[in-house]
Amino acid sequence: MIIPCSAGRKKQKSFKSSSGCVPSPFIYICTMHAEDIRLFALSFQGTEESFPFGEDTLVFKVKEKIFLLLSLDSFPLQFNVKCNPGKALELREEYPDLILPGYHMNKKHWNTIIVEGTLPTASLKEMITHSYNLVSGKKTICFI
């Protein structure tokens, strides 16, 4: 059974974790907000943020290379991440309405992720971590 985080929060406010989720015997889904994504991206070593494309797109770089673009004016929230080409196709097939070929990016290597509350927070963090690892050449583990 899948329960949205908002439903879980109402039942067990005292068990709220830092990710906004609550422990449950059920699988739960959470939503990340722009600030959650920003703080997670900045937690990686050597990450810098900037607005090179205007005030609507927050860009995160490591070693002067982009690994995450966060659209601040889209609803629902969306971001672009770099991805291994094979994995990018798998994710698009698994979530055809939520993971799309990268908007304004090389469609082979980039995905646009729609954050509307269906994808688990853990999956969003894994995609961001994977992108960081590809660009930085490091093997960072995602701790949720």
Side-chain angles (χ1 to χ4, degrees), residues 41 58 91 124 130:
L58 182 54
L91 289 169
L124 299 174
H130 177 68

Side-chain angles (χ1 to χ4, degrees), residues 9 15 17 20 40 42 49 54 58 62 65 72 77 95 116 124 137 142:
R9 280 192 205 122
F15 296 106
S17 73
F40 184 71
L42 290 173
E49 64 181 332
L58 182 54
V62 62
K65 294 181 182 177
L72 300 176
L77 183 66
Y95 303 101
E116 47 75 68
L124 299 174
C142 174

Side-chain angles (χ1 to χ4, degrees), residues 54-73:
E55 62 187 33
D56 296 333
T57 305
L58 182 54
V59 175
F60 297 89
K61 296 180 180 182
V62 62
K63 297 182 178 179
E64 298 183 24
K65 294 181 182 177
I66 296 172
F67 73 92
L68 170 67
L69 296 100
L70 177 62
S71 176
L72 300 176
D73 67 346

Side-chain angles (χ1 to χ4, degrees), residues 5-6 8-9 16-22 28-31 36 121:
C5 257
S6 59
R9 280 192 205 122
K16 189 172 167 183
S17 73
S18 62
S19 67
C21 299
V22 294
Y28 48 86
I29 305 297
C30 299
T31 293
D36 300 323
T121 298

